[in-house]
Amino acid sequence: MNSIQGRYDFVYFFDCKDGNPNGDPDAANAPRVDPQDMHGLVSDVCLKRKIRNYVLEANGGEEPFDIFVRQGSILNESITQAHKDLGHEVDGKAKKATRDQVKDARAKMCHRYYDVRTFGAVMSTGTNAGQVRGPVQLSFSRSLDPILPMDISITRMAVTEAKELDAPNQTMGRKNLIPYGLYRCHGFISANLARDTGFSDDDLDLLWQTLQNMFDLDRSASRGTMAPQKLIVFKHQSVLGNAPAHKLFERITVTRKEPVQAARQFSDYEVSINRNDLPENVELVEML
């Protein structure tokens, strides 16, 4: 597969209503926040997990769209299998791979696994297959306004054991959520790194498709209603890019409409895109 020929930068908006978009294990799974200004945060790892899950389901785990980092997988076994498929006589850490074997196994892993050639991976934890720096990188997502994390009590009428049947109280539990949050994420796609991993135009099309559909595959009561709202892409004609990414991102501004005091839906915001005097050889594409 031929790798992409130009750099891409993109802005991705998604929202969450009456749910927990990304719980923090260090805070009893409460929604992640910036403690200084109480804006909500969603980690890049959270979004990458959703992308991996969608690609896996959409392509049945078949090469070249298999997923390396998946639930229940044993990473070292996948790395060793790549060596074995190439005819290398290796067995975990029992025999070190040669430099040429590492190079070949690295290429095999990039070809087989979508997430390796997209996000990169450290594959030197068992039989060595090197390391890959992925061309697609995501920032932390940050909410446009401060969010209100809520800890809500819930009850269950059923009991766990028969001895609890006569207990006067119902079983109590907790749910963490926010009433509403609109999040902004910045993405970067390096054509230079894509040449190294083989990230192709087909891979890129699959990424755009995934960003627009992955929340429908990830429904749960704890996450409330999450949905993609905007995907705005800056396409560069050159490998290294034709304008600084942060200057392009400044062209996209979001304001809360008047007289809305507390946003509760995407229509409470207005997204403005400055299309005037775009840098030469940069194309703005509004995909969503």
Side-chain angles (χ1 to χ4, degrees):
M1 294 182 290
N2 295 323
S3 63
I4 59 174
Q5 299 301 304
R7 199 185 90 195
Y8 292 82
D9 303 301
F10 63 91
V11 181
Y12 181 55
F13 292 96
F14 62 92
D15 59 5
C16 176
K17 185 173 184 178
D18 297 331
N20 185 354
N22 185 203
D24 186 350
D26 291 327
N29 206 45
R32 296 182 189 271
V33 295
D34 179 339
Q36 286 189 312
D37 60 13
M38 294 304 293
H39 283 73
L41 299 173
V42 172
S43 71
D44 60 315
V45 176
C46 175
L47 295 185
K48 287 177 181 178
R49 178 72 272 150
K50 299 180 193 302
I51 292 171
R52 286 183 169 101
N53 289 345
Y54 184 90
V55 171
L56 183 64
E57 291 298 323
N59 297 277
E62 297 294 329
E63 186 176 338
F65 298 105
D66 200 357
I67 294 299
F68 178 52
V69 181
R70 63 162 82 179
Q71 184 176 2
S73 66
I74 302 174
L75 303 183
N76 284 350
E77 290 186 358
S78 298
I79 297 168
T80 299
Q81 186 61 49
H83 279 282
K84 291 181 178 179
D85 290 346
L86 293 167
H88 302 163
E89 295 182 1
V90 295
D91 184 15
K93 295 183 179 180
K95 179 180 177 180
K96 293 183 178 180
T98 66
R99 179 177 298 181
D100 288 342
Q101 287 176 335
V102 170
K103 181 180 178 180
D104 291 344
R106 182 181 185 275
K108 179 67 174 177
M109 294 290 289
C110 285
H111 182 268
R112 173 174 291 171
Y113 296 108
Y114 179 84
D115 56 335
V116 173
R117 64 178 178 274
T118 302
F119 303 129
V122 175
M123 302 177 294
S124 54
T125 53
T127 304
N128 192 4
Q131 299 183 14
V132 175
R133 184 180 174 191
V136 178
Q137 300 299 329
L138 303 176
S139 70
F140 263 57
S141 304
R142 177 177 287 268
S143 67
L144 275 297
D145 287 317
I147 62 170
L148 176 63
M150 301 175 66
D151 185 20
I152 296 176
S153 298
I154 56 175
T155 60
R156 185 181 70 182
M157 297 301 297
V159 297
T160 305
E161 300 181 32
K163 64 182 181 181
E164 300 172 347
L165 193 58
D166 297 327
N169 296 324
Q170 299 168 331
T171 303
M172 305 293 291
R174 316 291 300 179
K175 289 194 75 169
N176 292 291
L177 59 81
I178 61 172
Y180 184 78
L182 176 63
Y183 290 79
R184 175 172 178 158
C185 174
H186 292 166
F188 313 87
I189 305 177
S190 167
N192 186 46
L193 293 175
R195 289 188 299 193
D196 181 47
T197 70
F199 184 81
S200 68
D201 288 325
D202 288 342
D203 293 329
L204 182 63
D205 290 341
L206 180 55
L207 177 65
W208 301 143
Q209 173 190 332
T210 301
L211 290 174
Q212 295 176 67
N213 295 285
M214 64 186 184
F215 290 112
D216 285 325
L217 192 69
D218 193 52
R219 301 294 181 194
S220 78
S222 65
R223 295 188 183 92
T225 303
M226 296 186 68
Q229 296 294 353
K230 281 286 185 183
L231 177 58
I232 304 163
V233 178
F234 295 94
K235 179 180 179 181
H236 301 254
Q237 293 300 313
S238 73
V239 170
L240 297 180
N242 301 97
H246 69 284
K247 288 298 183 182
L248 298 176
F249 294 156
E250 289 173 358
R251 292 175 169 270
I252 301 170
T253 57
V254 183
T255 55
R256 192 170 63 251
K257 296 178 180 178
E258 296 291 344
V260 176
Q261 296 296 318
R264 288 296 181 265
Q265 55 193 351
F266 180 65
S267 59
D268 289 337
Y269 291 96
E270 182 175 352
V271 180
S272 299
I273 305 174
N274 180 8
R275 303 174 184 270
N276 298 325
D277 301 321
L278 277 170
E280 188 177 357
N281 295 322
V282 175
E283 179 184 358
L284 190 155
V285 182
E286 191 173 355
M287 292 192 171
L288 182 63

Tab-separated table of all heavy atoms in Angstrom, residues 186-232:
chain	number	residue	atom	x	y	z
A	186	HIS	N	-7.696	17.886	18.981
A	186	HIS	CA	-6.850	18.192	17.827
A	186	HIS	C	-6.111	16.934	17.401
A	186	HIS	O	-5.605	16.179	18.245
A	186	HIS	CB	-5.842	19.285	18.177
A	186	HIS	CG	-6.469	20.625	18.412
A	186	HIS	ND1	-5.798	21.672	19.014
A	186	HIS	CD2	-7.716	21.090	18.116
A	186	HIS	CE1	-6.599	22.723	19.080
A	186	HIS	NE2	-7.764	22.395	18.552
A	187	GLY	N	-6.064	16.718	16.101
A	187	GLY	CA	-5.376	15.546	15.558
A	187	GLY	C	-4.317	15.945	14.554
A	187	GLY	O	-4.437	16.974	13.865
A	188	PHE	N	-3.284	15.122	14.466
A	188	PHE	CA	-2.147	15.402	13.596
A	188	PHE	C	-1.771	14.122	12.854
A	188	PHE	O	-1.627	13.060	13.478
A	188	PHE	CB	-0.947	15.889	14.405
A	188	PHE	CG	-1.283	16.963	15.408
A	188	PHE	CD1	-1.709	16.628	16.686
A	188	PHE	CD2	-1.196	18.303	15.067
A	188	PHE	CE1	-2.034	17.608	17.616
A	188	PHE	CE2	-1.516	19.290	15.987
A	188	PHE	CZ	-1.940	18.949	17.263
A	189	ILE	N	-1.595	14.221	11.528
A	189	ILE	CA	-1.223	13.055	10.729
A	189	ILE	C	0.019	13.411	9.925
A	189	ILE	O	-0.022	14.274	9.044
A	189	ILE	CB	-2.369	12.620	9.805
A	189	ILE	CG1	-3.653	12.382	10.613
A	189	ILE	CG2	-1.985	11.364	9.037
A	189	ILE	CD1	-4.850	12.019	9.772
A	190	SER	N	1.107	12.748	10.226
A	190	SER	CA	2.398	13.031	9.603
A	190	SER	C	2.615	12.136	8.392
A	190	SER	O	2.665	10.905	8.516
A	190	SER	CB	3.528	12.809	10.623
A	190	SER	OG	4.784	12.781	9.984
A	191	ALA	N	2.769	12.753	7.224
A	191	ALA	CA	3.059	11.984	6.012
A	191	ALA	C	4.475	11.409	6.071
A	191	ALA	O	4.747	10.346	5.500
A	191	ALA	CB	2.894	12.858	4.776
A	192	ASN	N	5.360	12.106	6.759
A	192	ASN	CA	6.734	11.626	6.892
A	192	ASN	C	6.786	10.312	7.665
A	192	ASN	O	7.443	9.342	7.252
A	192	ASN	CB	7.578	12.692	7.595
A	192	ASN	CG	9.053	12.331	7.648
A	192	ASN	OD1	9.623	11.903	6.650
A	192	ASN	ND2	9.666	12.500	8.800
A	193	LEU	N	6.071	10.253	8.792
A	193	LEU	CA	6.031	9.014	9.571
A	193	LEU	C	5.189	7.951	8.873
A	193	LEU	O	5.424	6.752	9.055
A	193	LEU	CB	5.480	9.295	10.968
A	193	LEU	CG	6.361	10.168	11.871
A	193	LEU	CD1	5.656	10.474	13.188
A	193	LEU	CD2	7.702	9.479	12.139
A	194	ALA	N	4.203	8.373	8.080
A	194	ALA	CA	3.373	7.414	7.342
A	194	ALA	C	4.200	6.617	6.348
A	194	ALA	O	3.928	5.439	6.092
A	194	ALA	CB	2.236	8.141	6.625
A	195	ARG	N	5.225	7.244	5.774
A	195	ARG	CA	6.100	6.522	4.845
A	195	ARG	C	6.821	5.385	5.554
A	195	ARG	O	7.131	4.354	4.950
A	195	ARG	CB	7.105	7.488	4.224
A	195	ARG	CG	6.505	8.462	3.243
A	195	ARG	CD	7.536	9.277	2.516
A	195	ARG	NE	8.356	10.093	3.414
A	195	ARG	CZ	9.144	11.072	3.015
A	195	ARG	NH1	9.246	11.361	1.718
A	195	ARG	NH2	9.852	11.769	3.886
A	196	ASP	N	7.113	5.583	6.832
A	196	ASP	CA	7.837	4.569	7.590
A	196	ASP	C	6.942	3.390	7.967
A	196	ASP	O	7.390	2.244	7.980
A	196	ASP	CB	8.436	5.202	8.851
A	196	ASP	CG	9.234	4.219	9.682
A	196	ASP	OD1	10.059	3.478	9.110
A	196	ASP	OD2	9.029	4.169	10.904
A	197	THR	N	5.666	3.669	8.257
A	197	THR	CA	4.778	2.596	8.718
A	197	THR	C	3.893	2.032	7.615
A	197	THR	O	3.296	0.973	7.789
A	197	THR	CB	3.866	3.103	9.851
A	197	THR	OG1	2.906	4.030	9.325
A	197	THR	CG2	4.672	3.775	10.949
A	198	GLY	N	3.767	2.757	6.485
A	198	GLY	CA	2.883	2.308	5.415
A	198	GLY	C	1.451	2.768	5.577
A	198	GLY	O	0.535	2.224	4.940
A	199	PHE	N	1.203	3.780	6.423
A	199	PHE	CA	-0.150	4.311	6.605
A	199	PHE	C	-0.618	4.916	5.290
A	199	PHE	O	-0.044	5.876	4.782
A	199	PHE	CB	-0.155	5.364	7.716
A	199	PHE	CG	-1.511	5.905	8.061
A	199	PHE	CD1	-2.351	5.200	8.902
A	199	PHE	CD2	-1.940	7.117	7.533
A	199	PHE	CE1	-3.614	5.711	9.227
A	199	PHE	CE2	-3.189	7.633	7.845
A	199	PHE	CZ	-4.029	6.927	8.698
A	200	SER	N	-1.683	4.347	4.718
A	200	SER	CA	-2.084	4.635	3.339
A	200	SER	C	-3.346	5.483	3.272
A	200	SER	O	-3.985	5.788	4.284
A	200	SER	CB	-2.323	3.313	2.603
A	200	SER	OG	-3.470	2.664	3.148
A	201	ASP	N	-3.732	5.835	2.045
A	201	ASP	CA	-4.980	6.564	1.826
A	201	ASP	C	-6.182	5.735	2.269
A	201	ASP	O	-7.163	6.273	2.787
A	201	ASP	CB	-5.120	6.942	0.349
A	201	ASP	CG	-4.168	8.059	-0.064
A	201	ASP	OD1	-3.913	8.963	0.764
A	201	ASP	OD2	-3.663	8.027	-1.198
A	202	ASP	N	-6.125	4.424	2.074
A	202	ASP	CA	-7.200	3.557	2.556
A	202	ASP	C	-7.290	3.589	4.075
A	202	ASP	O	-8.389	3.600	4.645
A	202	ASP	CB	-6.980	2.115	2.083
A	202	ASP	CG	-7.236	1.943	0.599
A	202	ASP	OD1	-7.895	2.821	0.004
A	202	ASP	OD2	-6.776	0.937	0.023
A	203	ASP	N	-6.135	3.597	4.731
A	203	ASP	CA	-6.115	3.698	6.195
A	203	ASP	C	-6.691	5.035	6.640
A	203	ASP	O	-7.420	5.107	7.641
A	203	ASP	CB	-4.685	3.564	6.717
A	203	ASP	CG	-4.100	2.183	6.502
A	203	ASP	OD1	-4.866	1.199	6.513
A	203	ASP	OD2	-2.870	2.084	6.317
A	204	LEU	N	-6.369	6.081	5.912
A	204	LEU	CA	-6.871	7.406	6.254
A	204	LEU	C	-8.387	7.472	6.092
A	204	LEU	O	-9.096	7.995	6.969
A	204	LEU	CB	-6.202	8.453	5.361
A	204	LEU	CG	-6.579	9.909	5.614
A	204	LEU	CD1	-6.166	10.348	7.011
A	204	LEU	CD2	-5.955	10.813	4.562
A	205	ASP	N	-8.906	6.917	5.003
A	205	ASP	CA	-10.356	6.898	4.800
A	205	ASP	C	-11.051	6.132	5.922
A	205	ASP	O	-12.140	6.526	6.382
A	205	ASP	CB	-10.688	6.262	3.451
A	205	ASP	CG	-10.291	7.142	2.275
A	205	ASP	OD1	-10.103	8.347	2.478
A	205	ASP	OD2	-10.154	6.600	1.155
A	206	LEU	N	-10.433	5.052	6.362
A	206	LEU	CA	-11.003	4.275	7.463
A	206	LEU	C	-10.986	5.076	8.757
A	206	LEU	O	-11.927	4.987	9.565
A	206	LEU	CB	-10.226	2.968	7.634
A	206	LEU	CG	-10.697	2.028	8.751
A	206	LEU	CD1	-12.174	1.681	8.607
A	206	LEU	CD2	-9.846	0.757	8.767
A	207	LEU	N	-9.957	5.872	8.971
A	207	LEU	CA	-9.899	6.721	10.164
A	207	LEU	C	-11.028	7.738	10.162
A	207	LEU	O	-11.716	7.926	11.181
A	207	LEU	CB	-8.548	7.430	10.236
A	207	LEU	CG	-8.370	8.414	11.406
A	207	LEU	CD1	-8.407	7.679	12.737
A	207	LEU	CD2	-7.080	9.201	11.263
A	208	TRP	N	-11.251	8.405	9.014
A	208	TRP	CA	-12.357	9.376	8.940
A	208	TRP	C	-13.693	8.685	9.186
A	208	TRP	O	-14.553	9.210	9.903
A	208	TRP	CB	-12.380	10.057	7.574
A	208	TRP	CG	-11.160	10.818	7.161
A	208	TRP	CD1	-10.638	10.895	5.902
A	208	TRP	CD2	-10.298	11.656	7.973
A	208	TRP	NE1	-9.524	11.699	5.876
A	208	TRP	CE2	-9.288	12.180	7.129
A	208	TRP	CE3	-10.280	11.983	9.318
A	208	TRP	CZ2	-8.281	13.027	7.595
A	208	TRP	CZ3	-9.273	12.826	9.797
A	208	TRP	CH2	-8.295	13.337	8.949
A	209	GLN	N	-13.872	7.518	8.607
A	209	GLN	CA	-15.114	6.760	8.812
A	209	GLN	C	-15.295	6.405	10.284
A	209	GLN	O	-16.400	6.522	10.840
A	209	GLN	CB	-15.084	5.487	7.966
A	209	GLN	CG	-16.249	4.540	8.213
A	209	GLN	CD	-16.047	3.193	7.535
A	209	GLN	OE1	-15.360	3.087	6.517
A	209	GLN	NE2	-16.639	2.153	8.098
A	210	THR	N	-14.211	6.005	10.910
A	210	THR	CA	-14.276	5.591	12.310
A	210	THR	C	-14.640	6.754	13.218
A	210	THR	O	-15.488	6.609	14.120
A	210	THR	CB	-12.928	4.990	12.733
A	210	THR	OG1	-12.622	3.869	11.899
A	210	THR	CG2	-12.964	4.538	14.180
A	211	LEU	N	-14.027	7.905	13.018
A	211	LEU	CA	-14.307	9.061	13.866
A	211	LEU	C	-15.773	9.483	13.772
A	211	LEU	O	-16.332	10.037	14.734
A	211	LEU	CB	-13.404	10.228	13.471
A	211	LEU	CG	-11.918	10.072	13.813
A	211	LEU	CD1	-11.107	11.226	13.237
A	211	LEU	CD2	-11.700	9.970	15.317
A	212	GLN	N	-16.406	9.209	12.649
A	212	GLN	CA	-17.801	9.597	12.473
A	212	GLN	C	-18.784	8.549	12.980
A	212	GLN	O	-19.975	8.853	13.139
A	212	GLN	CB	-18.069	9.873	10.992
A	212	GLN	CG	-17.289	11.068	10.454
A	212	GLN	CD	-17.483	11.273	8.966
A	212	GLN	OE1	-18.581	11.609	8.518
A	212	GLN	NE2	-16.433	11.065	8.184
A	213	ASN	N	-18.320	7.325	13.252
A	213	ASN	CA	-19.246	6.242	13.602
A	213	ASN	C	-18.914	5.483	14.882
A	213	ASN	O	-19.717	4.678	15.339
A	213	ASN	CB	-19.304	5.231	12.442
A	213	ASN	CG	-19.904	5.813	11.180
A	213	ASN	OD1	-21.100	6.009	11.078
A	213	ASN	ND2	-19.044	6.107	10.208
A	214	MET	N	-17.751	5.714	15.471
A	214	MET	CA	-17.282	4.828	16.545
A	214	MET	C	-18.129	4.897	17.811
A	214	MET	O	-18.217	3.908	18.544
A	214	MET	CB	-15.825	5.133	16.883
A	214	MET	CG	-15.568	6.508	17.441
A	214	MET	SD	-13.795	6.795	17.638
A	214	MET	CE	-13.785	8.403	18.423
A	215	PHE	N	-18.787	6.029	18.087
A	215	PHE	CA	-19.580	6.110	19.316
A	215	PHE	C	-20.808	5.215	19.254
A	215	PHE	O	-21.316	4.777	20.290
A	215	PHE	CB	-19.990	7.553	19.597
A	215	PHE	CG	-18.843	8.442	20.001
A	215	PHE	CD1	-18.401	9.454	19.169
A	215	PHE	CD2	-18.200	8.255	21.206
A	215	PHE	CE1	-17.347	10.270	19.531
A	215	PHE	CE2	-17.138	9.062	21.585
A	215	PHE	CZ	-16.706	10.070	20.746
A	216	ASP	N	-21.305	4.934	18.048
A	216	ASP	CA	-22.466	4.049	17.926
A	216	ASP	C	-22.121	2.606	18.264
A	216	ASP	O	-23.010	1.795	18.514
A	216	ASP	CB	-23.033	4.123	16.503
A	216	ASP	CG	-23.797	5.411	16.251
A	216	ASP	OD1	-24.448	5.885	17.183
A	216	ASP	OD2	-23.720	5.945	15.135
A	217	LEU	N	-20.831	2.281	18.260
A	217	LEU	CA	-20.398	0.933	18.612
A	217	LEU	C	-20.030	0.832	20.088
A	217	LEU	O	-19.709	-0.231	20.579
A	217	LEU	CB	-19.184	0.540	17.754
A	217	LEU	CG	-18.749	-0.920	17.764
A	217	LEU	CD1	-19.782	-1.779	17.056
A	217	LEU	CD2	-17.388	-1.084	17.116
A	218	ASP	N	-20.115	1.943	20.800
A	218	ASP	CA	-19.569	2.017	22.155
A	218	ASP	C	-20.619	2.459	23.168
A	218	ASP	O	-20.305	3.095	24.160
A	218	ASP	CB	-18.377	2.995	22.150
A	218	ASP	CG	-17.544	2.908	23.411
A	218	ASP	OD1	-17.136	1.792	23.770
A	218	ASP	OD2	-17.317	3.960	24.041
A	219	ARG	N	-21.874	2.129	22.895
A	219	ARG	CA	-22.933	2.567	23.792
A	219	ARG	C	-22.894	1.831	25.131
A	219	ARG	O	-22.638	0.627	25.181
A	219	ARG	CB	-24.299	2.337	23.149
A	219	ARG	CG	-24.518	3.063	21.825
A	219	ARG	CD	-24.532	4.548	22.005
A	219	ARG	NE	-24.771	5.245	20.739
A	219	ARG	CZ	-24.561	6.531	20.568
A	219	ARG	NH1	-24.094	7.268	21.567
A	219	ARG	NH2	-24.789	7.094	19.406
A	220	SER	N	-23.128	2.557	26.198
A	220	SER	CA	-23.315	1.954	27.515
A	220	SER	C	-24.062	2.953	28.380
A	220	SER	O	-24.022	4.170	28.131
A	220	SER	CB	-21.979	1.585	28.165
A	220	SER	OG	-21.335	2.722	28.700
A	221	ALA	N	-24.745	2.431	29.416
A	221	ALA	CA	-25.513	3.309	30.298
A	221	ALA	C	-24.606	4.321	31.005
A	221	ALA	O	-24.996	5.464	31.233
A	221	ALA	CB	-26.269	2.475	31.325
A	222	SER	N	-23.386	3.912	31.318
A	222	SER	CA	-22.488	4.799	32.063
A	222	SER	C	-22.001	5.973	31.215
A	222	SER	O	-21.661	7.027	31.757
A	222	SER	CB	-21.283	4.010	32.584
A	222	SER	OG	-20.493	3.522	31.512
A	223	ARG	N	-21.945	5.809	29.884
A	223	ARG	CA	-21.423	6.878	29.027
A	223	ARG	C	-22.515	7.843	28.561
A	223	ARG	O	-22.204	8.819	27.883
A	223	ARG	CB	-20.712	6.276	27.810
A	223	ARG	CG	-19.462	5.488	28.184
A	223	ARG	CD	-18.692	5.071	26.945
A	223	ARG	NE	-17.557	4.260	27.305
A	223	ARG	CZ	-17.545	2.936	27.378
A	223	ARG	NH1	-18.649	2.270	27.088
A	223	ARG	NH2	-16.471	2.272	27.722
A	224	GLY	N	-23.762	7.571	28.893
A	224	GLY	CA	-24.828	8.455	28.468
A	224	GLY	C	-24.943	8.476	26.956
A	224	GLY	O	-24.776	7.469	26.280
A	225	THR	N	-25.202	9.662	26.414
A	225	THR	CA	-25.297	9.829	24.969
A	225	THR	C	-24.077	10.584	24.480
A	225	THR	O	-23.915	11.769	24.761
A	225	THR	CB	-26.571	10.601	24.586
A	225	THR	OG1	-27.728	9.911	25.092
A	225	THR	CG2	-26.687	10.721	23.072
A	226	MET	N	-23.213	9.892	23.753
A	226	MET	CA	-22.020	10.510	23.174
A	226	MET	C	-22.160	10.491	21.653
A	226	MET	O	-22.646	9.507	21.082
A	226	MET	CB	-20.755	9.783	23.610
A	226	MET	CG	-20.488	9.856	25.104
A	226	MET	SD	-18.901	9.131	25.591
A	226	MET	CE	-17.745	10.305	24.847
A	227	ALA	N	-21.731	11.572	21.013
A	227	ALA	CA	-21.905	11.673	19.565
A	227	ALA	C	-20.849	12.587	18.968
A	227	ALA	O	-20.453	13.578	19.583
A	227	ALA	CB	-23.297	12.215	19.241
A	228	PRO	N	-20.388	12.268	17.742
A	228	PRO	CA	-19.510	13.195	17.021
A	228	PRO	C	-20.342	14.345	16.485
A	228	PRO	O	-21.476	14.145	16.047
A	228	PRO	CB	-18.943	12.332	15.887
A	228	PRO	CG	-20.025	11.337	15.618
A	228	PRO	CD	-20.691	11.068	16.941
A	229	GLN	N	-19.784	15.548	16.501
A	229	GLN	CA	-20.545	16.709	16.039
A	229	GLN	C	-19.881	17.444	14.887
A	229	GLN	O	-20.560	17.930	14.000
A	229	GLN	CB	-20.781	17.679	17.213
A	229	GLN	CG	-21.647	17.117	18.327
A	229	GLN	CD	-23.079	16.852	17.902
A	229	GLN	OE1	-23.504	17.206	16.801
A	229	GLN	NE2	-23.848	16.202	18.764
A	230	LYS	N	-18.564	17.516	14.882
A	230	LYS	CA	-17.856	18.202	13.807
A	230	LYS	C	-16.509	17.532	13.575
A	230	LYS	O	-15.823	17.155	14.530
A	230	LYS	CB	-17.605	19.676	14.152
A	230	LYS	CG	-18.793	20.601	13.965
A	230	LYS	CD	-19.066	20.875	12.496
A	230	LYS	CE	-20.181	21.908	12.324
A	230	LYS	NZ	-20.506	22.130	10.902
A	231	LEU	N	-16.136	17.413	12.298
A	231	LEU	CA	-14.812	16.937	11.907
A	231	LEU	C	-14.328	17.838	10.780
A	231	LEU	O	-14.860	17.798	9.673
A	231	LEU	CB	-14.861	15.478	11.453
A	231	LEU	CG	-13.548	14.874	10.935
A	231	LEU	CD1	-12.445	14.961	11.982
A	231	LEU	CD2	-13.748	13.419	10.504
A	232	ILE	N	-13.343	18.673	11.096
A	232	ILE	CA	-12.837	19.665	10.157
A	232	ILE	C	-11.371	19.357	9.881
A	232	ILE	O	-10.549	19.313	10.807
A	232	ILE	CB	-12.999	21.080	10.718
A	232	ILE	CG1	-14.475	21.334	11.066
A	232	ILE	CG2	-12.474	22.124	9.731
A	232	ILE	CD1	-14.700	22.501	11.985
